[in-house]
Amino acid sequence: MPPRQRRSYSTEYNVEAAHRVIDTGRTIAEVARELGINDGLLSNWVKAERRRIAAAEVVGEKPLDAAERAELQRLRRQVAELEKDNQFLVKASAYFAAMQKNRTGSN
């Protein structure tokens, strides 16, 4: 039997999953079942997020609320998409510059 491949989760996913417990007051087991993840894993994420929130409050920072986290996620996706578009445009402009150079050089 081949070894089971370990799944990895993004930091954003971990934080959002933890906030499903923290913000709603639902149990870790209930949210873990809903997400299809191990409740021990979710428990670790919740503990880490609570520590992060407490540390932010100690230095006087207010943690992000659900709407701000959603906006941050949307903006990160948008930035990633724009970076892909930029990479494509750089490659396309290099291609067309080379084509133009070849065209003027062959005359």
Side-chain angles (χ1 to χ4, degrees), residues 16 27 29 41 44 52 71:
E16 287 305 312
T27 66
L41 179 62
N44 290 338
R52 191 192 63 75
E71 176 72 0

Side-chain angles (χ1 to χ4, degrees), residues 52-72:
R52 191 192 63 75
I53 290 169
E57 289 172 349
V58 165
V59 295
E61 294 178 3
K62 186 185 101 188
L64 299 177
D65 63 25
E68 291 169 325
R69 284 193 312 276
E71 176 72 0
L72 181 59

Side-chain angles (χ1 to χ4, degrees), residues 74-106:
R74 184 189 68 76
L75 291 171
R76 285 181 175 162
R77 280 193 302 271
Q78 185 178 5
V79 166
E81 189 65 33
L82 291 171
E83 285 175 345
K84 279 195 272 185
D85 290 349
N86 252 1
Q87 289 172 356
F88 172 78
L89 291 172
V90 165
K91 289 176 184 177
S93 65
Y95 171 79
F96 287 116
M99 292 293 290
Q100 186 68 28
K101 184 178 177 184
N102 288 341
R103 186 178 296 172
T104 57
S106 62

